[in-house]
Amino acid sequence: ARRLARRTREDTLRTLRANTERMAHFIERLGDEDLGREVVGFPGLTLADEIERALIGHLQVHARAVRIALIEGRTSTPGTHS
């Protein structure tokens, strides 16, 4: 956490873009059969459900934090050098 807190805004955005592209490429390659598979250990939860919950839901949490920071007038988040 300390290492991540010292990252610049540009470095954070670069990493976000790279990870987003990597995950989008992975998800695009999944077929209907893959998406419909049940997650091991979680009966009734499919891979599509987990993608929506873990990836999309996680991003929505961060998006809310960014909106709040913008509303509060902060130009950077705590721990950044921007």
Side-chain angles (χ1 to χ4, degrees):
R2 288 183 188 138
R3 179 180 55 86
L4 294 176
R6 290 189 296 264
R7 295 174 68 175
T8 65
R9 174 186 273 169
E10 292 76 21
D11 187 39
T12 301
L13 290 173
R14 187 174 27 258
T15 300
L16 176 62
R17 286 184 188 110
N19 288 341
T20 299
E21 288 178 24
R22 184 173 51 89
M23 289 309 300
H25 180 69
F26 171 78
I27 292 168
E28 286 173 352
R29 293 177 39 210
L30 296 172
D32 290 341
E33 184 178 330
D34 298 316
L35 293 169
R37 287 190 180 147
E38 227 175 56
V39 176
V40 176
F42 296 92
L45 184 70
T46 66
L47 180 57
D49 296 331
E50 185 61 10
I51 288 170
E52 184 173 338
R53 185 195 67 77
L55 293 179
I56 297 170
H58 184 80
L59 291 175
Q60 288 172 340
V61 168
H62 285 289
R64 278 191 294 274
V66 169
R67 281 194 296 276
I68 290 168
L70 290 172
I71 289 168
E72 292 176 353
R74 293 195 310 242
T75 59
S76 64
T77 56
T80 64
H81 301 286
S82 302

